[in-house]
Amino acid sequence: MATLYQLHSTMDTLRRSTEEMTRTWRKGDSIMLLGTTAAFIDWLNAYLNEHDIEYIAGIYALGDDVAQLTTSATDKLSLETKLTRILTDAEWVTLTQDSQFDKVVMIAL
């Protein structure tokens, strides 16, 4: 079984949030980026590498959250190449109820 970690972080709290997530990380877990957290995808990847986090099953973001970013930020971030998928609200709810996850953990520091 796997965990779906839901991160809702500012740039100031992303490192701490990532450290919290790594305490219970298991191979095959997934990450859902909420709010503006998707804007920090490159920093998140750097922090995950610092902690030798590997075998991430998926990294997702909400379409509504991505739409709140400026067009230039979205273009520079190339989110569609760094995320497994950008989800609608309904798809997010379905993902949280997927039987592959034995738990969903929200980290919002």
Side-chain angles (χ1 to χ4, degrees), residues 18-80:
T18 305
E19 288 171 358
E20 285 299 317
M21 183 180 63
T22 62
R23 296 175 198 271
T24 55
W25 183 266
R26 295 177 295 180
K27 177 181 174 179
D29 287 349
S30 294
I31 303 168
M32 179 73 190
L33 306 177
L34 300 173
T36 60
T37 311
F40 314 121
I41 185 75
D42 293 324
W43 286 100
L44 173 67
N45 284 323
Y47 296 150
L48 293 172
N49 287 334
E50 276 181 16
H51 294 285
D52 297 321
I53 295 294
E54 299 176 326
Y55 309 110
I56 301 168
I59 300 178
Y60 307 93
L62 287 174
D64 288 345
D65 293 342
V66 171
Q68 297 299 314
L69 303 174
T70 65
T71 304
S72 64
T74 304
D75 291 343
K76 287 178 187 175
L77 291 169
S78 301
L79 290 174
E80 52 288 332

